[in-house]
Amino acid sequence: MPSRLKVELPVCPEPKCRHIGKQPNGEALKNFCIGSILEGTGHKKRRMVPVVFTAPVPKEGGGS
Ligand SMILES: [Zn+2]
C-alpha cells in the first residue's frame, strides 16, 4: 500500500507573503516571519503556522 509522504512545514499566515519553510535568517527568527524586504513582502513579525503538505507518490521506474 503506497503511503504518501507527509511533511510539515511552517507557513507564514500573512496573505501577501505566504512564505513556506524555514527562514533564511536562521535562529533569530525561528518560527517567525517578517517577509522579504527585497521582494516587497515585508510585514510585521508573524508567527508561522505549521501546515502539513502531502507529497505526490513518485512513479516507479522513473528515469529520464
Ligand atoms: Zn511572511
Side-chain angles (χ1 to χ4, degrees):
M1 189 169 74
S3 61
R4 295 200 169 196
L5 183 67
K6 289 184 180 179
V7 59
E8 189 179 89
L9 291 171
V11 177
C12 177
E14 193 73 19
K16 68 177 179 180
C17 179
R18 307 298 293 178
H19 178 83
I20 299 174
K22 293 179 179 175
Q23 289 296 298
N25 308 61
E27 295 300 312
L29 287 170
K30 194 174 183 182
N31 295 328
F32 287 90
C33 178
I34 57 170
S36 171
I37 295 172
L38 289 176
E39 295 177 18
T41 58
H43 57 78
K44 283 187 184 177
K45 193 167 155 184
R46 296 289 301 268
R47 179 184 287 275
M48 300 181 84
V49 294
V51 175
V52 176
F53 292 87
T54 304
V57 178
K59 291 181 180 178
E60 292 183 9
S64 56

